[in-house]
Amino acid sequence: MIRDNIASAAAVITRKTLRLMGKGATTLPGKIALKISPSIIASKAKGKNIITITGTNGKTTTSHMISDMLVNEGYSVINNISGANLASGIATTLICGKDEINRPEGESKGIVYVLETDEAAFAKTAKDISPKVSVVTNLFRDQLDRYGELTHTRDCIADGLDKTDAILVINSDDSLVASLGKGREKRSVFFGMDKDSMLMNNTKYPPKKSILPASPDAVYCPECHVRYDYKARSFGHLGDFVCPSCGAVSPKCRFSVVYDLKDNPSKEDYPFSLKDSLTGTTEDMKLKIPGSHNLYNTCAAVSAVTVLTERIEGKSEGSAELFKAAVKAEENVKAAFGRMEKIKVGDKNLCILLVKNPVGLDRSLSFVCESEDKAALMLLLNSNIADGKDVSWIWDVDFESKAEDLPEDIYVSGQRYGDMLLRVEYAGRKVKDSGDMSRVMEMLRKALDECPAGKCVYVLPNYTSMLDLRGRLVRELGIKDFWK
């Protein structure tokens, strides 16, 4: 107890000092606290209502949506929305989070902690966090020099889950994620695309044929190592899978997205429906954060909020009322920093879409191609430790089939701008200008100057290049820091 108190005091003092210096202070306070008291996370998490969100893509967006929805439902929320998702960032949030609590209008129903957690670190932090609900979004190949193969990442998450009694909210369409439900059936809740909708859209609106092979991520059955057959796919390896050898299939969803691609999910307010099979309820919705991948993030967020509020209120058999409340709460969600973040610059827009792996960049390029307001594209590529030192993954992205639909003006920057320049030109497109991060604002200003009114410059950075760019935008355009 004394050690915990000293650790907490040290974290609070460190944070206040760093904030006075204009720093984010999202990890160092927790790092110091953990040095003083390694059990500080368990101590601070005890007895709290906590949701964890882990997976390769969509963690920050889903966490942000869950936070907004819970506030809209009347809960006070503390989160690590800055994306500090290792043990140090989680400790900082648990110790110092009340300074930046998000409160609802009117009386609060209580405090919920929404914690994005790194998938590789989940095995070490899950027991101490002891969440009520744990969301797993998806698993894609990402930073092989850090995470290793996907099966290893899946095993790390499974190890963490087995140290908790959390209800699992897991993606039915991702074969590796869905396999987490095996042996944990009584506490697993699945979400995903409605299988009939997926098949209908594959048949009626077949996707443009890729020039590069489809993503090989997780297309083999983990039990018998035979390649899955797919009745339908959404993107990457996500879809309605079946193993021709052992018969393993995509699990039945409690929460599923009913959609029709006659409309474009890249447009704001794309209409779709969300179905809760347990209560027999279907609700019409509008996609508040554009992009077909955000259908999954929205479904995950509604699923998690429904399941958590059911657990808090003791509705073990499901509640149509709480499902409808979660759907309504989604109406006012906003994008997280760097994730489909639109910034107004005079009569033009700047949109930042974080990309950090082949599937993420592929989906973002598809989004840009489908966007009616695209005027220019800027690609930023760094290779710091947080990004992964190996950038060869850009050659696994299908630029070729999208090349003719990308904006006419393409700019490239970042530490590894030469690698990205070569990749773009190898796909048959010319780059208008390129250079390292010292020239990024010069190129961005040029792109914005030449951007027509009402149109958008799309910027696709990886992690540290996004933080660098946003720091420059804070200083030059006065936008909010990522931690505010």
Side-chain angles (χ1 to χ4, degrees), residues 188-466:
S188 296
V189 175
F190 294 96
F191 71 89
M193 299 297 107
D194 176 75
K195 292 174 173 54
D196 290 337
S197 286
M198 204 175 352
L199 179 59
M200 180 276 289
N201 283 294
N202 279 191
T203 304
K204 197 171 181 180
Y205 314 104
K208 189 173 183 178
K209 188 175 181 181
S210 296
I211 292 174
L212 291 181
S215 165
D217 298 352
V219 294
Y220 291 91
C221 175
E223 298 297 325
C224 54
H225 310 294
V226 172
R227 191 179 184 94
Y228 285 117
D229 290 333
Y230 281 84
K231 298 177 184 177
R233 285 200 197 212
S234 54
F235 62 86
H237 65 262
L238 306 187
D240 185 7
F241 59 86
V242 58
C243 176
S245 177
C246 69
V249 296
S250 172
K252 182 180 178 182
C253 295
R254 175 180 170 183
F255 301 98
S256 57
V257 175
V258 180
Y259 66 108
D260 190 332
L261 293 179
K262 69 179 179 182
D263 296 310
N264 187 348
S266 296
K267 294 182 180 178
E268 291 185 13
D269 291 335
Y270 167 80
F272 67 100
S273 298
L274 203 56
K275 182 167 62 176
D276 177 358
S277 63
L278 183 60
T279 63
T281 311
T282 300
E283 292 290 304
D284 292 334
M285 300 182 69
K286 291 184 177 179
L287 192 62
K288 292 302 175 183
I289 305 175
S292 57
H293 54 288
N294 281 316
L295 289 169
Y296 277 106
N297 295 333
T298 301
C299 189
V302 172
S303 305
V305 170
T306 303
V307 169
L308 178 73
T309 51
E310 286 175 347
R311 187 163 184 179
I312 290 173
E313 298 188 18
K315 304 285 181 68
S316 59
E317 298 303 315
S319 168
E321 180 183 350
L322 292 176
F323 169 65
K324 290 178 181 179
V327 168
K328 184 168 180 57
E330 185 270 345
E331 293 176 359
N332 297 311
V333 300
K334 294 180 177 62
F337 80 96
R339 280 79 171 176
M340 210 66 68
E341 178 185 20
K342 273 204 171 179
I343 301 165
K344 198 79 174 169
V345 184
D347 57 1
K348 306 162 187 181
N349 286 310
L350 171 65
C351 186
I352 305 174
L353 294 81
L354 173 69
V355 296
K356 55 179 185 163
N357 50 49
V359 168
L361 180 51
D362 188 84
R363 298 313 303 163
S364 293
L365 289 172
S366 293
F367 178 85
V368 173
C369 290
E370 294 167 2
S371 298
E372 296 178 354
D373 65 347
K374 60 182 181 288
L377 171 66
M378 178 174 278
L379 297 161
L380 310 183
L381 184 65
N382 277 1
S383 59
N384 293 309
I385 291 173
D387 305 302
K389 303 294 287 184
D390 181 1
V391 299
S392 63
W393 61 267
I394 63 175
W395 292 91
D396 294 330
V397 179
D398 185 16
F399 278 83
E400 280 74 8
S401 67
K402 303 172 183 66
E404 64 182 25
D405 296 321
L406 291 172
E408 181 178 349
D409 293 342
I410 300 176
Y411 300 83
V412 172
S413 186
Q415 297 166 341
R416 304 294 292 269
Y417 74 91
D419 296 79
M420 186 62 81
L421 172 65
L422 181 63
R423 181 68 189 93
V424 172
E425 295 199 341
Y426 198 87
R429 290 297 306 270
K430 292 295 181 183
V431 170
K432 187 165 186 175
D433 199 357
S434 64
D436 63 24
M437 290 300 288
S438 67
R439 293 193 57 227
V440 69
M441 291 306 296
E442 172 195 340
M443 288 187 280
L444 185 57
R445 282 191 291 269
K446 181 178 179 181
L448 286 168
D449 286 344
E450 296 179 1
C451 176
K455 297 295 184 179
C456 185
V457 175
Y458 285 92
V459 183
L460 277 56
N462 64 345
Y463 188 66
T464 66
S465 62
M466 178 193 70

